[in-house]
């Protein structure tokens, strides 16, 4: 069979099946091992032969089987990342910064999200593991016991970011949201507010529930009522913020201040106040956790606690790259912990 007829036959196969390494070898007129060597270690093949094989690969549309390459070399260039939601601002900021660093170092990120449906955690986790990752990163809390058991038995580095510190992985990077909300509550009390409410989302998360405790305990220490709280297990949205503050003001029209677990909720609260002609902060002070640059641009600007998720991501990537460049067993007995401080930013709303 001449090269023209083979090319026509192979191109026809591209619509019905995957072009194989053997097809590339036959088209280039070399052995399969030579093609494999040219693709995996091109420096070991002559320029003329490498060009011939690359031409065949491009012409036939051959896609190398990365899984086979991993099995052959024992090395993976993939990092698996489990996040709670792609719609969550903290998750997206962390993920973007992590990808930037790892991609510059020739690692690819494979992402899985359960969208706060904890029953799907194990399913998403097992799907991610099919990519044979070199390491695993968890952003947020893992609630499923089966998923935790799987993670604890992985023979690769596992890093937990803003997760439950009671579960020990290779590295735990965390922040104290309960302490942050307690600080916000003290701040509002010092400003003269006593009737302070709390609005929170994703409250089936152990870490988010720390916020509620921080608010509640601080008010009780000052012998003040901690009754005005509205929470949801679902994702934080502006619409939830609008509905929650409407309900809270119906219960207690004399409410003086409110703390929100997320910026999105606080923005919803502020928009509802504007609609009702409630002056912020004169008639209602507002503060939030998980603030971003949006807090600077809204009017009035939003008092917040800001957490540097980009810096967390860079620290995570730095630690991973160190482990992956060293001997495989170095991370096994290492259990490190990094606590990231929050930054308080007083603005016009509180």
């Amino acid at each position: 069979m001449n090269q023209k007829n083979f090319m026509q036959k192979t191109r026809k196969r591209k619509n019905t099946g995957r072009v194989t390494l053997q097809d590339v070898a036959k088209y280039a007129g070399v052995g399969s091992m030579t093609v494999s060597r040219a693709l995996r270690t091109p420096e070991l093949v002559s320029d003329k032969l490498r060009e011939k094989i690359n031409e065949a690969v491009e012409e036939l549309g051959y896609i190398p089987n990365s899984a086979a390459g991993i099995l052959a070399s024992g090395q993976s260039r993939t990092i698996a990342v489990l996040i709670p939601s792609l719609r969550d601002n903290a998750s997206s900021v962390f993920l973007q910064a992590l990808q930037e660093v790892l991609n510059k170092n020739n690692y690819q990120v494979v992402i899985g999200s359960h969208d706060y449906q904890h029953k799907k955690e194990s399913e998403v986790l097992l799907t991610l593991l099919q990519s044979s990752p070199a390491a695993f990163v968890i952003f947020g809390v893992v609630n499923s016991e089966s998923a935790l058991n799987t993670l604890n038995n992985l023979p690769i580095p596992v890093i937990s970011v803003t997760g439950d510190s009671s579960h020990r992985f290779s590295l735990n990077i965390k922040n104290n949201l309960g302490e942050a909300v307690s600080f916000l509550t003290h701040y509002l009390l010092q400003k003269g507010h006593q009737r302070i409410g709390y609005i929170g989302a994703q409250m089936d998360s152990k870490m988010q529930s720390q916020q509620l405790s921080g608010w509640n305990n601080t008010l009780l220490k000052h012998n003040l009522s901690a009754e005005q709280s509205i929470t949801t297990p679902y994702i934080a949205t502006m619409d939830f913020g609008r509905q929650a503050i409407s309900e809270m003001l119906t219960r207690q029209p004399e409410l003086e201040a409110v703390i929100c677990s997320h910026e999105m909720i606080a923005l919803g609260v502020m928009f509802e106040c504007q609609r009702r002609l409630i002056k912020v902060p004169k008639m209602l002070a507002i503060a939030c956790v998980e603030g971003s640059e949006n807090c600077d641009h809204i009017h009035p600007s939003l008092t917040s606690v800001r957490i540097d998720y980009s810096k967390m991501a860079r620290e995570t990537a730095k630690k991973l790259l160190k482990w992956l460049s060293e001997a495989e067993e170095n991370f096994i007995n290492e259990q490190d912990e990094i606590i990231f401080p929050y930054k308080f930013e007083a603005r016009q709303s509180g």
Side-chain angles (χ1 to χ4, degrees):
M1 181 186 298
N2 62 37
Q3 193 176 71
K4 182 178 179 181
N5 290 338
F6 178 79
M7 185 170 64
Q8 289 174 341
K9 182 178 179 181
T10 306
R11 279 180 173 168
K12 186 177 180 180
R13 281 190 59 201
K14 284 170 69 179
N15 295 324
T16 57
R18 178 169 176 158
V19 176
T20 66
L21 185 138
Q22 287 74 24
D23 292 331
V24 175
K26 194 170 183 178
Y27 182 82
V30 298
S32 298
M33 289 297 292
T34 303
V35 175
S36 178
R37 189 181 304 113
L39 295 176
R40 289 192 293 112
T41 53
E43 67 276 6
L44 300 181
V45 179
S46 68
D47 292 344
K48 185 176 180 180
L49 188 55
R50 186 168 63 247
E51 287 176 12
K52 189 176 182 180
I53 291 170
N54 287 341
E55 191 177 300
V57 168
E58 185 176 345
E59 186 66 40
L60 301 179
Y62 173 66
I63 301 174
N65 186 339
S66 59
I70 291 169
L71 291 173
S73 65
Q75 295 180 335
S76 170
R77 307 297 296 183
T78 298
I79 306 297
V81 182
L82 179 64
I83 60 174
S85 174
L86 289 167
R87 297 177 293 166
D88 181 69
N89 182 65
S91 297
S92 60
V93 170
F94 174 85
L95 187 60
Q96 181 178 353
L98 183 72
Q99 278 186 306
E100 287 176 359
V101 178
L102 293 176
N103 288 349
K104 286 179 183 177
N105 288 271
N106 298 318
Y107 280 93
Q108 296 299 317
V109 174
V110 179
I111 307 160
S113 169
H114 50 75
D115 207 23
Y116 293 99
Q117 299 180 51
H118 302 313
K119 292 181 180 179
K120 289 189 174 182
E121 284 179 344
S122 292
E123 178 185 336
V124 176
L125 171 61
L126 293 175
T127 300
L128 287 171
L129 290 175
Q130 290 177 13
S131 65
S132 301
F136 207 105
V137 177
I138 316 149
F139 186 81
V141 177
V142 175
N143 291 273
S144 164
E145 285 298 325
S146 60
L148 283 169
N149 290 335
T150 300
L151 289 165
N152 284 325
N153 291 310
L154 290 179
I156 57 175
V158 178
I159 294 183
S160 172
V161 183
T162 70
D164 187 348
S165 58
S166 64
H167 298 287
R168 305 296 295 169
F169 296 108
S170 308
L171 175 64
N172 286 272
I173 298 178
K174 63 179 184 176
N175 48 44
N176 195 327
L177 295 180
E179 182 182 304
V181 172
S182 179
F183 181 91
L184 282 179
T185 309
H186 275 293
Y187 171 78
L188 292 171
L189 288 169
Q190 289 172 358
K191 299 281 282 188
H193 306 298
Q194 292 193 332
R195 300 180 183 90
I196 304 171
Y198 175 83
I199 302 174
Q202 301 158 17
M203 282 299 150
D204 54 347
S205 164
K206 297 173 185 176
M207 296 300 289
Q208 291 301 138
S209 63
Q210 288 182 5
Q211 292 195 33
L212 186 62
S213 296
W215 164 80
N216 181 79
N217 294 339
T218 303
L219 288 180
L220 292 179
K221 285 179 182 178
H222 287 78
N223 298 314
L224 295 172
S225 170
E227 295 178 357
Q228 293 304 324
S229 66
I230 297 177
T231 63
T232 178
Y234 302 110
I235 194 167
T237 64
M238 284 191 283
D239 189 52
F240 172 64
R242 296 181 67 168
Q243 293 178 19
I245 194 61
S246 295
E247 182 180 337
M248 195 170 284
L249 289 171
T250 300
R251 293 181 189 171
Q252 189 176 27
E254 64 274 19
L255 188 72
E256 299 171 9
V258 64
I259 296 172
C260 304
S261 66
H262 294 78
E263 179 186 87
M264 292 298 287
I265 295 175
L267 293 176
V269 170
M270 294 190 79
F271 294 150
E272 182 62 20
C273 286
Q274 290 173 3
R275 190 185 73 82
R276 291 170 173 244
L277 302 180
I278 296 173
K279 294 182 180 180
V280 177
K282 186 176 181 180
M283 298 171 67
L284 182 69
I286 303 171
C288 76
V289 186
E290 308 272 12
S292 75
E293 64 277 2
N294 294 330
C295 296
D296 303 320
H297 302 302
I298 192 171
H299 182 75
S301 57
L302 182 58
T303 294
S304 68
V305 163
R306 188 175 295 193
I307 299 165
D308 194 341
Y309 289 110
S310 292
K311 187 175 181 180
M312 277 188 178
R314 292 191 294 272
E315 188 66 33
T316 300
K318 178 182 175 182
K319 192 70 172 180
L320 273 178
L321 292 169
K322 179 178 181 293
W323 274 330
L324 296 172
S325 66
E326 296 175 349
E328 183 179 335
E329 65 274 7
N330 281 8
F331 69 88
I332 295 177
N333 296 319
E334 187 168 349
Q335 290 186 339
D336 200 0
E337 181 174 276
I338 299 173
I339 301 177
F340 269 79
Y342 56 83
K343 181 181 179 182
F344 173 66
E345 296 177 327
R347 297 188 183 85
Q348 297 168 344
S349 71

